[in-house]
Amino acid sequence: MTAGGAGGVGGAVRVGVLGGADIAWRRTLPALTAEPGVRVVAVASRSGRRAARFAERFGCAAVTGYDALLARDDIDAVYVPLPAGLLHRWTRAALDSGRHVLAEKPLGEDGDQARDLVACANARGLVLMENVAFQLHPQHDVVRSLLAEGAVGEPREFRAVFGIPPLPGDDVRYRPDLGGGALLDLGFYPLRAARMFLGAGLEVAGARLRPGPSGVDVAGSALLAAPDGTTASVSFGFEHAYRSTYELWGSAGRVRAVRAFTPPPDHRPRITVDGPGGRRVLEAPAADQFALLAADFAAAVRTGRDLR
């Protein structure tokens, strides 16, 4: 999701980081620091030690406290890798400070929070981009091309799953006070993929969440329907063998993508097509979807355009 426009800034976009999440350490900050259009200036954490650890690795300043980072005058944009329960507050604070924002998904704990942030960005003419890096991977362009050429006939059903093994007991995704739960963390992916292929008109026909010991949902499933009768079924959870796949089933065949949401940068995804002519297996290019995200964000800030 990108909202608002932005005036260009000279040279690289200077980015400050609010939070030290694992996804920032493993994927997003390596991509941002490698992007020529970005310069990571500072990383803030509530713990000075954690901020210093990030700063040493990524060659930037360490800041203790999120407000202290927003008070700096050498930052054009802010990356917010915080739990869902904190995202709205600090993304809104970054926008209110006049900074463009790249925020982790999802944009808050409910639709009202997300709509508030989009309205805020639009009112200030700022870029607000949600980290939906998986959508940028070229494997999905291969699937779109197959659908366009009629490889499966008329689409009838979309199916997607994203599951991972149990997390450590102290993981923030088990904490109700921080917006934890499988729906916001994992269900986001198959639901977004369903919208990617079937459009934004999907409505929930039925859904079920399974609560865990801490009170957050640890698994769930949903059935959605498009206005033309096409359906989407999605499942997700923290208590599963790893799966990350989707399938489009049509009147004349089906197409399936595996490692659909979290492919490693060097992985060449294989797209399987079953149709009247038999089975085909197509190989998509390897790509670092986080590098593509970093480049898109920098370009959006410089040009003020919604690129995707």
Side-chain angles (χ1 to χ4, degrees):
M1 176 188 300
T2 306
V9 299
V13 178
R14 300 171 299 174
V15 173
V17 183
L18 289 181
D22 179 63
I23 189 65
W25 178 268
R26 291 187 298 106
R27 300 299 302 271
T28 316
L29 278 178
L32 286 171
T33 54
E35 165 56 40
V38 168
R39 181 163 67 89
V40 178
V41 172
V43 176
S45 175
R46 290 173 296 178
S47 162
R49 179 177 298 179
R50 188 172 186 84
R53 176 171 170 260
F54 272 73
E56 181 179 3
R57 178 180 175 187
F58 297 109
C60 60
V63 178
T64 302
Y66 303 149
D67 285 316
L69 184 131
L70 295 179
R72 294 176 67 105
D73 61 4
D74 57 351
I75 291 172
D76 306 306
V78 176
Y79 167 47
V80 187
L82 292 172
L86 299 175
L87 265 172
H88 176 265
R89 173 187 174 185
W90 289 106
T91 299
R92 181 63 190 257
L95 292 169
D96 286 341
S97 75
R99 273 55 175 258
H100 310 287
V101 176
L102 170 62
E104 276 303 326
K105 53 78 189 165
L107 283 180
E109 298 178 89
D110 55 38
D112 288 340
Q113 289 188 354
R115 285 186 285 270
D116 175 68
L117 293 176
V118 171
C120 180
N122 282 329
R124 289 163 172 75
L126 296 169
V127 170
L128 171 61
M129 183 177 288
E130 189 175 35
N131 185 352
V132 194
F134 88 86
Q135 291 188 154
L136 306 181
H137 198 285
Q139 66 175 314
H140 310 301
D141 293 329
V142 174
V143 174
R144 291 186 186 94
S145 295
L146 289 166
L147 295 177
E149 73 182 39
V152 303
E154 292 294 324
R156 299 289 189 240
E157 183 176 356
F158 175 85
R159 299 173 177 172
V161 297
F162 192 15
I164 61 174
L167 302 161
D170 60 352
D171 193 283
V172 297
R173 286 168 284 185
Y174 287 135
R175 289 182 54 177
D177 59 316
L178 293 180
L183 173 60
L184 293 181
D185 189 63
L186 298 181
F188 176 96
Y189 292 87
L191 288 167
R192 181 60 68 93
R195 287 171 57 101
M196 186 167 68
F197 289 109
L198 301 185
L202 290 168
E203 295 186 353
V204 178
R208 187 68 179 262
L209 295 175
R210 185 167 75 247
S214 71
V216 305
D217 54 282
V218 295
S221 297
L223 176 67
L224 305 100
D228 65 359
T230 308
T231 59
S233 58
V234 301
S235 296
F236 48 88
F238 292 149
E239 301 181 327
H240 303 65
Y242 178 83
R243 284 188 70 194
S244 170
T245 184
Y246 65 71
E247 174 183 291
L248 281 144
W249 182 19
S251 59
R254 64 174 184 164
V255 57
R256 183 166 61 98
V258 296
R259 296 305 295 268
F261 306 123
T262 57
D266 59 352
H267 177 66
R268 294 182 64 88
R270 293 188 172 187
I271 310 300
T272 303
V273 190
D274 291 295
R279 170 165 290 188
R280 288 185 288 159
V281 179
L282 306 179
E283 195 172 74
D288 184 342
Q289 59 196 33
F290 284 83
L292 298 173
L293 177 84
D296 262 17
F297 181 64
V301 171
R302 288 195 300 267
T303 66
R305 293 188 298 115
D306 186 344
L307 301 177
R308 301 280 176 170

